[in-house]
Amino acid sequence: MAKYLYEVSFNRGRSNPEHGTFLRNVMELNAKPPDYGGLNNLCVISHHMDRETVYELCAEGLKKSRADLSVVEITKKTLASPNSTHRMLTDLIESYFLPHGDYPNIK
């Protein structure tokens, strides 16, 4: 089964009052932080479901901060774009995700 990569971001990170709920949700989805600083407001999730479903899984239990949550699919096009924030995730994707899975939208 093909998988997709998603960039999940949460505005204000740890200073958001619902960060604990966000953190619990993304940890259950095996989220990986982009660096060694841990999960603050940005992570990468590998999942076989579509973007809307991943958004709902990450937003479960959020009451006021659903608008602060953003889920964007990572593709070959967004990795190559000079205007995309996904370029900073290239090392994580190449060293962790690509050796362990099949991502047709990145090949």
Side-chain angles (χ1 to χ4, degrees), residues 77-94:
K77 185 177 180 179
T78 62
L79 284 170
S81 172
N83 299 326
S84 173
T85 58
H86 296 165
R87 292 184 66 134
M88 70 179 187
L89 303 171
T90 304
D91 288 339
L92 173 66
I93 291 167
E94 288 177 353

Side-chain angles (χ1 to χ4, degrees), residues 12 16-18 61-68:
R12 297 181 311 195
N16 191 311
E18 294 187 292
L62 294 178
K63 296 188 181 8
K64 297 181 181 179
S65 301
R66 287 180 75 92
D68 293 336

Side-chain angles (χ1 to χ4, degrees), residues 12-57:
R12 297 181 311 195
R14 290 188 178 119
S15 63
N16 191 311
E18 294 187 292
H19 183 264
T21 304
F22 164 76
L23 185 62
R24 185 186 71 242
N25 292 342
V26 296
M27 292 301 289
E28 287 176 1
L29 295 171
N30 295 321
K32 299 298 176 208
D35 56 19
Y36 296 107
L39 288 171
N40 184 17
N41 66 334
L42 181 70
C43 61
V44 177
I45 294 177
S46 170
H47 209 281
H48 66 279
M49 299 300 259
D50 63 352
R51 189 195 66 77
E52 291 82 14
T53 304
V54 172
Y55 176 87
E56 289 301 322
L57 292 171

